[in-house]
Amino acid sequence: MKQQNGVLAKIGKVSGLLSKYIAIVILITSAIAFMKPQQFLWIPQYTAIFLGTAMFGMGLTIKREDFQIVFSRPKEIISGCLLQYTIMPVAAYFLAYVMDLNTDLALGVILVGCCPGGTASNVIAYIAKGDVPLSVGMTITSTLVAPLVTPFLVYILAGAWVEVSFMAMVMSVIKIVLLPVIAGIALNSMFHETIKKLGAILPLISVVAIVMIIDGIVAVNAAKIMSCGLIVMVAVALHNGIGMMMGLGMAKLMRVNYAKETSIAIEVAMQNSGLAVALATANFAANPLATLPGAIFSVWHNVSGSMFASYRIKNLENDNSAAAENVAAAK
């Protein structure tokens, strides 16, 4: 038993490191996929399975207490989700139009903008000393409403570029997101103690799945990345930045505390870009480059999220230092 616990502890440490430094992991493996694409060309046909596995892993980490958080903080959670499903889709449409992106790339950017929050936001919120329970609650809520909201937004916004089948997208999100998450939640509820022991290694499931999805997209589009990779990178960085800054600005207008501001800004800006890739693969086969913005977003939002976390921590430390000096001066 001790040996088994020791092995789980070691795997848990690896899982924690990979989750914390997922952006670096993605950069390294993506570079390998770019240079040796032949080794990764088999992956895209299993994109939906990999993402379903990642969402199942997310479901396994959701506890009853997490739903209590959702119902105990309805104002903040609903506000965060509304911001995410308005700022990011509108920003995506605006960028696609202003930058005059071609049909595939415009579709890809809009797909990213219409997706729910990603689980990586919870990790970044923790690093940034944000309100982690609030972050988890927003991710759960936006994910559970995604089967209707995401297809509806894509239907409305992407219709200017391509024909969108609303019902086909609804079924895709249900199969890829909703059912795996519900299965994970159910399994956690039935075998909670066993799942709890495996808690430290569960993020590894999602990390591996997301990394595989991105590597497959990079491999398939290796040649095309050279021609359009820069404009996609610019669009993705602007999109993510708009979400982060507007999310933070709106959170300040809500007059919530520092930790909640941080979590709302992170949640709004960090999308489930793996879902965008899966939806592009399953529903828009005629637009192969539509998968590229989601793949690049998956890398970038972890990098920018880490930078934002560092910025917020420094601000928090400066505020605490100033408060301490004021108290000392008052004495």
Side-chain angles (χ1 to χ4, degrees), residues 260-322:
K260 290 176 182 176
E261 280 181 7
T262 302
S263 288
I264 290 172
I266 291 169
E267 188 67 26
V268 169
M270 297 188 71
Q271 304 292 85
N272 185 344
S273 44
L275 175 59
V277 172
L279 290 176
T281 303
N283 296 275
F284 302 100
N287 308 94
L289 275 180
T291 58
L292 195 56
I296 293 178
F297 196 98
S298 295
V299 181
W300 176 250
H301 78 168
N302 283 288
V303 174
S304 66
S306 298
M307 292 190 294
F308 182 75
S310 298
Y311 164 75
R312 292 295 285 177
I313 289 170
K314 285 181 181 178
N315 275 2
L316 183 61
E317 289 172 350
N318 291 338
D319 289 348
N320 290 340
S321 178

Short mmCIF file of all heavy atoms in Angstrom, two decimals, residues 260-322:
data_model
loop_
_atom_site.label_atom_id
_atom_site.label_comp_id
_atom_site.label_asym_id
_atom_site.label_seq_id
_atom_site.Cartn_x
_atom_site.Cartn_y
_atom_site.Cartn_z
N LYS A 260 -11.76 38.29 -6.74
CA LYS A 260 -12.85 38.03 -7.68
C LYS A 260 -12.61 38.73 -9.01
O LYS A 260 -12.91 38.18 -10.08
CB LYS A 260 -14.18 38.46 -7.07
CG LYS A 260 -14.63 37.57 -5.91
CD LYS A 260 -15.89 38.09 -5.26
CE LYS A 260 -16.28 37.20 -4.07
NZ LYS A 260 -17.44 37.73 -3.35
N GLU A 261 -12.09 39.97 -8.96
CA GLU A 261 -11.72 40.67 -10.19
C GLU A 261 -10.77 39.83 -11.02
O GLU A 261 -10.94 39.68 -12.23
CB GLU A 261 -10.97 41.97 -9.84
CG GLU A 261 -11.80 43.15 -9.45
CD GLU A 261 -10.92 44.36 -9.16
OE1 GLU A 261 -9.70 44.30 -9.40
OE2 GLU A 261 -11.48 45.36 -8.69
N THR A 262 -9.76 39.29 -10.34
CA THR A 262 -8.74 38.50 -11.02
C THR A 262 -9.34 37.27 -11.68
O THR A 262 -9.07 36.98 -12.86
CB THR A 262 -7.66 38.06 -10.00
OG1 THR A 262 -7.09 39.22 -9.39
CG2 THR A 262 -6.57 37.25 -10.68
N SER A 263 -10.18 36.55 -10.96
CA SER A 263 -10.78 35.32 -11.49
C SER A 263 -11.72 35.59 -12.66
O SER A 263 -11.74 34.84 -13.64
CB SER A 263 -11.54 34.57 -10.39
OG SER A 263 -10.63 33.99 -9.48
N ILE A 264 -12.49 36.67 -12.57
CA ILE A 264 -13.42 37.00 -13.65
C ILE A 264 -12.65 37.37 -14.93
O ILE A 264 -12.99 36.91 -16.02
CB ILE A 264 -14.36 38.15 -13.23
CG1 ILE A 264 -15.34 37.65 -12.17
CG2 ILE A 264 -15.13 38.71 -14.44
CD1 ILE A 264 -16.20 38.74 -11.54
N ALA A 265 -11.60 38.18 -14.77
CA ALA A 265 -10.79 38.57 -15.94
C ALA A 265 -10.18 37.35 -16.61
O ALA A 265 -10.19 37.22 -17.84
CB ALA A 265 -9.70 39.54 -15.50
N ILE A 266 -9.63 36.44 -15.81
CA ILE A 266 -9.00 35.23 -16.34
C ILE A 266 -10.03 34.32 -17.01
O ILE A 266 -9.80 33.80 -18.10
CB ILE A 266 -8.26 34.48 -15.21
CG1 ILE A 266 -7.03 35.28 -14.76
CG2 ILE A 266 -7.84 33.08 -15.66
CD1 ILE A 266 -6.39 34.78 -13.49
N GLU A 267 -11.18 34.18 -16.36
CA GLU A 267 -12.22 33.29 -16.89
C GLU A 267 -12.75 33.79 -18.23
O GLU A 267 -12.96 33.01 -19.17
CB GLU A 267 -13.36 33.17 -15.89
CG GLU A 267 -14.40 32.11 -16.26
CD GLU A 267 -13.86 30.70 -16.18
OE1 GLU A 267 -12.90 30.47 -15.41
OE2 GLU A 267 -14.40 29.81 -16.88
N VAL A 268 -12.96 35.09 -18.33
CA VAL A 268 -13.49 35.67 -19.57
C VAL A 268 -12.52 35.43 -20.73
O VAL A 268 -12.93 35.10 -21.84
CB VAL A 268 -13.75 37.19 -19.39
CG1 VAL A 268 -14.03 37.85 -20.75
CG2 VAL A 268 -14.92 37.42 -18.45
N ALA A 269 -11.23 35.58 -20.46
CA ALA A 269 -10.22 35.54 -21.53
C ALA A 269 -9.77 34.14 -21.92
O ALA A 269 -9.28 33.94 -23.03
CB ALA A 269 -9.01 36.36 -21.12
N MET A 270 -9.90 33.16 -21.03
CA MET A 270 -9.35 31.82 -21.30
C MET A 270 -10.47 30.87 -21.73
O MET A 270 -11.31 30.46 -20.93
CB MET A 270 -8.61 31.29 -20.07
CG MET A 270 -7.40 32.15 -19.72
SD MET A 270 -6.36 31.45 -18.43
CE MET A 270 -5.60 30.06 -19.30
N GLN A 271 -10.45 30.54 -23.01
CA GLN A 271 -11.51 29.73 -23.61
C GLN A 271 -11.16 28.24 -23.66
O GLN A 271 -9.99 27.87 -23.61
CB GLN A 271 -11.78 30.21 -25.04
CG GLN A 271 -12.13 31.68 -25.15
CD GLN A 271 -13.46 32.02 -24.53
OE1 GLN A 271 -13.54 32.26 -23.33
NE2 GLN A 271 -14.51 32.03 -25.32
N ASN A 272 -12.19 27.42 -23.80
CA ASN A 272 -12.00 26.00 -24.06
C ASN A 272 -11.70 25.87 -25.56
O ASN A 272 -12.54 25.46 -26.35
CB ASN A 272 -13.25 25.20 -23.68
CG ASN A 272 -13.05 23.70 -23.81
OD1 ASN A 272 -12.11 23.23 -24.45
ND2 ASN A 272 -13.94 22.94 -23.21
N SER A 273 -10.48 26.26 -25.92
CA SER A 273 -10.10 26.29 -27.34
C SER A 273 -10.00 24.90 -27.94
O SER A 273 -10.09 24.73 -29.16
CB SER A 273 -8.79 27.05 -27.53
OG SER A 273 -7.83 26.67 -26.57
N GLY A 274 -9.82 23.89 -27.09
CA GLY A 274 -9.85 22.51 -27.58
C GLY A 274 -11.21 22.17 -28.18
O GLY A 274 -11.30 21.45 -29.19
N LEU A 275 -12.27 22.73 -27.59
CA LEU A 275 -13.62 22.52 -28.13
C LEU A 275 -13.74 23.20 -29.49
O LEU A 275 -14.37 22.65 -30.40
CB LEU A 275 -14.67 23.07 -27.16
CG LEU A 275 -16.12 23.04 -27.65
CD1 LEU A 275 -16.55 21.62 -27.98
CD2 LEU A 275 -17.05 23.67 -26.62
N ALA A 276 -13.14 24.37 -29.63
CA ALA A 276 -13.17 25.07 -30.92
C ALA A 276 -12.53 24.22 -32.01
O ALA A 276 -13.03 24.13 -33.14
CB ALA A 276 -12.45 26.42 -30.81
N VAL A 277 -11.41 23.58 -31.66
CA VAL A 277 -10.72 22.70 -32.61
C VAL A 277 -11.61 21.50 -32.96
O VAL A 277 -11.75 21.13 -34.14
CB VAL A 277 -9.38 22.21 -32.03
CG1 VAL A 277 -8.77 21.13 -32.92
CG2 VAL A 277 -8.41 23.37 -31.87
N ALA A 278 -12.22 20.90 -31.95
CA ALA A 278 -13.07 19.72 -32.17
C ALA A 278 -14.29 20.07 -33.01
O ALA A 278 -14.69 19.30 -33.90
CB ALA A 278 -13.50 19.13 -30.83
N LEU A 279 -14.90 21.22 -32.75
CA LEU A 279 -16.07 21.64 -33.53
C LEU A 279 -15.70 21.94 -34.98
O LEU A 279 -16.45 21.61 -35.89
CB LEU A 279 -16.71 22.87 -32.89
CG LEU A 279 -17.41 22.65 -31.55
CD1 LEU A 279 -17.92 23.97 -30.98
CD2 LEU A 279 -18.57 21.65 -31.69
N ALA A 280 -14.53 22.55 -35.17
CA ALA A 280 -14.07 22.83 -36.53
C ALA A 280 -13.83 21.53 -37.29
O ALA A 280 -14.19 21.40 -38.46
CB ALA A 280 -12.78 23.66 -36.49
N THR A 281 -13.24 20.55 -36.60
CA THR A 281 -12.95 19.26 -37.22
C THR A 281 -14.22 18.50 -37.57
O THR A 281 -14.35 17.93 -38.67
CB THR A 281 -12.09 18.40 -36.28
OG1 THR A 281 -10.88 19.11 -35.95
CG2 THR A 281 -11.72 17.07 -36.92
N ALA A 282 -15.20 18.51 -36.63
CA ALA A 282 -16.41 17.71 -36.80
C ALA A 282 -17.44 18.35 -37.71
O ALA A 282 -18.18 17.65 -38.41
CB ALA A 282 -17.04 17.44 -35.43
N ASN A 283 -17.51 19.68 -37.74
CA ASN A 283 -18.60 20.35 -38.44
C ASN A 283 -18.19 21.18 -39.65
O ASN A 283 -19.04 21.60 -40.43
CB ASN A 283 -19.34 21.28 -37.46
CG ASN A 283 -20.01 20.52 -36.34
OD1 ASN A 283 -21.13 20.05 -36.48
ND2 ASN A 283 -19.34 20.42 -35.21
N PHE A 284 -16.87 21.45 -39.80
CA PHE A 284 -16.43 22.30 -40.89
C PHE A 284 -15.22 21.68 -41.60
O PHE A 284 -14.17 22.30 -41.73
CB PHE A 284 -16.09 23.70 -40.37
CG PHE A 284 -17.25 24.38 -39.68
CD1 PHE A 284 -17.33 24.38 -38.30
CD2 PHE A 284 -18.25 24.97 -40.42
CE1 PHE A 284 -18.40 24.99 -37.65
CE2 PHE A 284 -19.33 25.58 -39.78
CZ PHE A 284 -19.41 25.59 -38.39
N ALA A 285 -15.42 20.45 -42.08
CA ALA A 285 -14.33 19.73 -42.75
C ALA A 285 -13.87 20.45 -44.02
O ALA A 285 -12.73 20.31 -44.45
CB ALA A 285 -14.79 18.32 -43.10
N ALA A 286 -14.76 21.25 -44.61
CA ALA A 286 -14.41 21.98 -45.83
C ALA A 286 -13.54 23.20 -45.54
O ALA A 286 -13.09 23.88 -46.46
CB ALA A 286 -15.69 22.42 -46.56
N ASN A 287 -13.33 23.48 -44.26
CA ASN A 287 -12.53 24.64 -43.85
C ASN A 287 -11.42 24.18 -42.91
O ASN A 287 -11.44 24.46 -41.71
CB ASN A 287 -13.40 25.68 -43.15
CG ASN A 287 -14.62 26.05 -43.96
OD1 ASN A 287 -15.70 25.49 -43.77
ND2 ASN A 287 -14.46 26.99 -44.87
N PRO A 288 -10.42 23.45 -43.44
CA PRO A 288 -9.39 22.83 -42.60
C PRO A 288 -8.59 23.79 -41.72
O PRO A 288 -8.21 23.44 -40.60
CB PRO A 288 -8.48 22.11 -43.60
CG PRO A 288 -8.74 22.81 -44.91
CD PRO A 288 -10.18 23.20 -44.87
N LEU A 289 -8.35 25.02 -42.20
CA LEU A 289 -7.56 25.98 -41.42
C LEU A 289 -8.34 26.57 -40.24
O LEU A 289 -7.77 27.28 -39.42
CB LEU A 289 -7.06 27.11 -42.31
CG LEU A 289 -5.76 26.85 -43.08
CD1 LEU A 289 -5.39 28.07 -43.91
CD2 LEU A 289 -4.63 26.49 -42.13
N ALA A 290 -9.63 26.25 -40.16
CA ALA A 290 -10.44 26.75 -39.04
C ALA A 290 -9.98 26.17 -37.70
O ALA A 290 -10.31 26.70 -36.64
CB ALA A 290 -11.92 26.43 -39.26
N THR A 291 -9.22 25.08 -37.75
CA THR A 291 -8.71 24.48 -36.52
C THR A 291 -7.50 25.24 -35.96
O THR A 291 -7.17 25.12 -34.78
CB THR A 291 -8.28 23.02 -36.75
OG1 THR A 291 -7.28 22.98 -37.78
CG2 THR A 291 -9.46 22.16 -37.18
N LEU A 292 -6.84 26.03 -36.81
CA LEU A 292 -5.57 26.66 -36.43
C LEU A 292 -5.69 27.70 -35.31
O LEU A 292 -4.89 27.69 -34.37
CB LEU A 292 -4.91 27.26 -37.66
CG LEU A 292 -3.42 27.62 -37.54
CD1 LEU A 292 -2.60 26.41 -37.10
CD2 LEU A 292 -2.89 28.15 -38.87
N PRO A 293 -6.67 28.63 -35.38
CA PRO A 293 -6.79 29.60 -34.28
C PRO A 293 -6.98 28.95 -32.92
O PRO A 293 -6.40 29.40 -31.92
CB PRO A 293 -8.02 30.43 -34.68
CG PRO A 293 -8.03 30.37 -36.17
CD PRO A 293 -7.60 28.96 -36.49
N GLY A 294 -7.77 27.89 -32.87
CA GLY A 294 -7.97 27.19 -31.59
C GLY A 294 -6.70 26.58 -31.06
O GLY A 294 -6.41 26.64 -29.86
N ALA A 295 -5.91 25.99 -31.95
CA ALA A 295 -4.65 25.37 -31.54
C ALA A 295 -3.67 26.41 -31.01
O ALA A 295 -3.04 26.21 -29.96
CB ALA A 295 -4.03 24.62 -32.72
N ILE A 296 -3.55 27.53 -31.71
CA ILE A 296 -2.63 28.59 -31.27
C ILE A 296 -3.14 29.25 -30.00
O ILE A 296 -2.36 29.59 -29.11
CB ILE A 296 -2.42 29.62 -32.40
CG1 ILE A 296 -1.67 28.94 -33.55
CG2 ILE A 296 -1.66 30.84 -31.90
CD1 ILE A 296 -1.44 29.84 -34.76
N PHE A 297 -4.46 29.43 -29.90
CA PHE A 297 -5.04 30.02 -28.70
C PHE A 297 -4.72 29.16 -27.47
O PHE A 297 -4.45 29.69 -26.39
CB PHE A 297 -6.56 30.16 -28.86
CG PHE A 297 -7.21 31.08 -27.86
CD1 PHE A 297 -7.49 32.39 -28.20
CD2 PHE A 297 -7.54 30.65 -26.58
CE1 PHE A 297 -8.08 33.26 -27.29
CE2 PHE A 297 -8.13 31.50 -25.66
CZ PHE A 297 -8.40 32.81 -26.02
N SER A 298 -4.73 27.84 -27.64
CA SER A 298 -4.44 26.93 -26.53
C SER A 298 -3.05 27.18 -25.95
O SER A 298 -2.85 27.05 -24.74
CB SER A 298 -4.54 25.47 -26.99
OG SER A 298 -5.86 25.16 -27.36
N VAL A 299 -2.12 27.52 -26.82
CA VAL A 299 -0.77 27.83 -26.35
C VAL A 299 -0.74 29.23 -25.74
O VAL A 299 -0.29 29.43 -24.61
CB VAL A 299 0.25 27.76 -27.51
CG1 VAL A 299 1.66 28.07 -27.00
CG2 VAL A 299 0.23 26.38 -28.17
N TRP A 300 -1.25 30.20 -26.48
CA TRP A 300 -1.11 31.59 -26.09
C TRP A 300 -1.83 31.93 -24.79
O TRP A 300 -1.31 32.67 -23.95
CB TRP A 300 -1.58 32.52 -27.21
CG TRP A 300 -1.52 33.95 -26.78
CD1 TRP A 300 -2.56 34.79 -26.52
CD2 TRP A 300 -0.33 34.71 -26.53
NE1 TRP A 300 -2.12 36.01 -26.13
CE2 TRP A 300 -0.74 35.99 -26.11
CE3 TRP A 300 1.03 34.43 -26.60
CZ2 TRP A 300 0.17 37.00 -25.78
CZ3 TRP A 300 1.94 35.42 -26.27
CH2 TRP A 300 1.51 36.69 -25.87
N HIS A 301 -3.06 31.41 -24.59
CA HIS A 301 -3.79 31.84 -23.40
C HIS A 301 -3.15 31.33 -22.11
O HIS A 301 -3.31 31.95 -21.05
CB HIS A 301 -5.28 31.49 -23.49
CG HIS A 301 -5.65 30.08 -23.23
ND1 HIS A 301 -6.96 29.69 -23.03
CD2 HIS A 301 -4.92 28.93 -23.12
CE1 HIS A 301 -7.02 28.39 -22.82
NE2 HIS A 301 -5.80 27.92 -22.88
N ASN A 302 -2.38 30.26 -22.20
CA ASN A 302 -1.63 29.82 -21.03
C ASN A 302 -0.43 30.74 -20.76
O ASN A 302 -0.11 31.04 -19.61
CB ASN A 302 -1.15 28.38 -21.22
CG ASN A 302 -2.24 27.36 -21.01
OD1 ASN A 302 -2.68 27.12 -19.89
ND2 ASN A 302 -2.72 26.77 -22.09
N VAL A 303 0.22 31.17 -21.84
CA VAL A 303 1.36 32.10 -21.71
C VAL A 303 0.88 33.44 -21.16
O VAL A 303 1.41 33.97 -20.18
CB VAL A 303 2.07 32.29 -23.06
CG1 VAL A 303 3.15 33.36 -22.95
CG2 VAL A 303 2.67 30.98 -23.55
N SER A 304 -0.15 34.01 -21.81
CA SER A 304 -0.65 35.33 -21.39
C SER A 304 -1.28 35.25 -20.00
O SER A 304 -1.18 36.19 -19.20
CB SER A 304 -1.68 35.86 -22.39
OG SER A 304 -2.84 35.05 -22.41
N GLY A 305 -1.94 34.13 -19.71
CA GLY A 305 -2.55 33.95 -18.39
C GLY A 305 -1.49 33.94 -17.29
O GLY A 305 -1.68 34.55 -16.22
N SER A 306 -0.37 33.29 -17.55
CA SER A 306 0.73 33.26 -16.58
C SER A 306 1.31 34.66 -16.39
O SER A 306 1.63 35.06 -15.26
CB SER A 306 1.83 32.30 -17.06
OG SER A 306 1.32 30.98 -17.16
N MET A 307 1.45 35.42 -17.48
CA MET A 307 1.96 36.79 -17.38
C MET A 307 0.98 37.68 -16.60
O MET A 307 1.39 38.50 -15.76
CB MET A 307 2.20 37.38 -18.77
CG MET A 307 3.35 36.71 -19.54
SD MET A 307 3.83 37.58 -21.06
CE MET A 307 2.35 37.37 -22.06
N PHE A 308 -0.31 37.51 -16.87
CA PHE A 308 -1.33 38.28 -16.15
C PHE A 308 -1.32 37.93 -14.66
O PHE A 308 -1.47 38.82 -13.81
CB PHE A 308 -2.70 38.00 -16.75
CG PHE A 308 -3.83 38.76 -16.12
CD1 PHE A 308 -4.00 40.11 -16.39
CD2 PHE A 308 -4.71 38.14 -15.25
CE1 PHE A 308 -5.05 40.82 -15.81
CE2 PHE A 308 -5.75 38.84 -14.67
CZ PHE A 308 -5.93 40.19 -14.95
N ALA A 309 -1.12 36.65 -14.36
CA ALA A 309 -1.05 36.22 -12.96
C ALA A 309 0.11 36.90 -12.23
O ALA A 309 -0.04 37.38 -11.11
CB ALA A 309 -0.91 34.70 -12.88
N SER A 310 1.27 36.96 -12.90
CA SER A 310 2.44 37.62 -12.31
C SER A 310 2.15 39.10 -12.07
O SER A 310 2.51 39.66 -11.02
CB SER A 310 3.66 37.48 -13.22
OG SER A 310 4.00 36.12 -13.39
N TYR A 311 1.50 39.74 -13.03
CA TYR A 311 1.14 41.16 -12.93
C TYR A 311 0.20 41.39 -11.75
O TYR A 311 0.40 42.33 -10.96
CB TYR A 311 0.49 41.60 -14.24
CG TYR A 311 -0.25 42.90 -14.18
CD1 TYR A 311 0.43 44.12 -14.14
CD2 TYR A 311 -1.65 42.92 -14.19
CE1 TYR A 311 -0.27 45.32 -14.08
CE2 TYR A 311 -2.36 44.11 -14.13
CZ TYR A 311 -1.67 45.31 -14.08
OH TYR A 311 -2.36 46.49 -14.01
N ARG A 312 -0.80 40.54 -11.60
CA ARG A 312 -1.77 40.70 -10.51
C ARG A 312 -1.12 40.46 -9.15
O ARG A 312 -1.41 41.16 -8.18
CB ARG A 312 -2.95 39.75 -10.72
CG ARG A 312 -3.81 40.07 -11.91
CD ARG A 312 -4.52 41.40 -11.78
NE ARG A 312 -5.64 41.35 -10.86
CZ ARG A 312 -6.38 42.41 -10.54
NH1 ARG A 312 -6.09 43.60 -11.07
NH2 ARG A 312 -7.39 42.31 -9.69
N ILE A 313 -0.24 39.48 -9.07
CA ILE A 313 0.44 39.19 -7.80
C ILE A 313 1.30 40.37 -7.37
O ILE A 313 1.31 40.77 -6.20
CB ILE A 313 1.29 37.91 -7.92
CG1 ILE A 313 0.39 36.67 -8.02
CG2 ILE A 313 2.23 37.76 -6.71
CD1 ILE A 313 1.12 35.41 -8.37
N LYS A 314 2.01 40.98 -8.33
CA LYS A 314 2.85 42.15 -8.01
C LYS A 314 1.99 43.31 -7.53
O LYS A 314 2.33 44.02 -6.59
CB LYS A 314 3.66 42.56 -9.24
CG LYS A 314 4.83 41.64 -9.54
CD LYS A 314 5.61 42.12 -10.76
CE LYS A 314 6.77 41.16 -11.05
NZ LYS A 314 7.53 41.57 -12.27
N ASN A 315 0.84 43.51 -8.19
CA ASN A 315 -0.08 44.56 -7.76
C ASN A 315 -0.59 44.31 -6.35
O ASN A 315 -0.68 45.24 -5.54
CB ASN A 315 -1.29 44.64 -8.72
CG ASN A 315 -0.99 45.50 -9.93
OD1 ASN A 315 0.11 46.01 -10.09
ND2 ASN A 315 -1.98 45.66 -10.79
N LEU A 316 -0.92 43.05 -6.08
CA LEU A 316 -1.42 42.68 -4.75
C LEU A 316 -0.36 42.94 -3.69
O LEU A 316 -0.65 43.47 -2.61
CB LEU A 316 -1.85 41.22 -4.75
CG LEU A 316 -2.46 40.68 -3.45
CD1 LEU A 316 -3.73 41.45 -3.10
CD2 LEU A 316 -2.77 39.19 -3.59
N GLU A 317 0.87 42.55 -4.00
CA GLU A 317 1.97 42.76 -3.06
C GLU A 317 2.21 44.25 -2.82
O GLU A 317 2.44 44.68 -1.69
CB GLU A 317 3.24 42.09 -3.59
CG GLU A 317 3.19 40.57 -3.54
CD GLU A 317 4.37 39.92 -4.25
OE1 GLU A 317 5.12 40.66 -4.94
OE2 GLU A 317 4.53 38.69 -4.12
N ASN A 318 2.14 45.05 -3.87
CA ASN A 318 2.32 46.49 -3.73
C ASN A 318 1.21 47.11 -2.89
O ASN A 318 1.46 47.99 -2.06
CB ASN A 318 2.36 47.16 -5.11
CG ASN A 318 3.61 46.81 -5.90
OD1 ASN A 318 4.61 46.43 -5.32
ND2 ASN A 318 3.54 46.94 -7.22
N ASP A 319 -0.03 46.65 -3.13
CA ASP A 319 -1.17 47.16 -2.35
C ASP A 319 -1.02 46.81 -0.87
O ASP A 319 -1.29 47.63 0.00
CB ASP A 319 -2.48 46.60 -2.89
CG ASP A 319 -2.85 47.19 -4.25
OD1 ASP A 319 -2.21 48.18 -4.65
OD2 ASP A 319 -3.76 46.64 -4.90
N ASN A 320 -0.61 45.56 -0.61
CA ASN A 320 -0.42 45.12 0.78
C ASN A 320 0.69 45.91 1.46
O ASN A 320 0.60 46.27 2.64
CB ASN A 320 -0.11 43.62 0.83
CG ASN A 320 -1.31 42.77 0.46
OD1 ASN A 320 -2.45 43.23 0.52
ND2 ASN A 320 -1.08 41.52 0.08
N SER A 321 1.77 46.15 0.70
CA SER A 321 2.89 46.91 1.23
C SER A 321 2.48 48.33 1.55
O SER A 321 2.84 48.88 2.61
CB SER A 321 4.04 46.91 0.21
OG SER A 321 5.12 47.69 0.68
N ALA A 322 1.70 48.95 0.65
CA ALA A 322 1.23 50.32 0.88
C ALA A 322 0.29 50.39 2.08
O ALA A 322 0.35 51.32 2.89
CB ALA A 322 0.51 50.83 -0.37
#
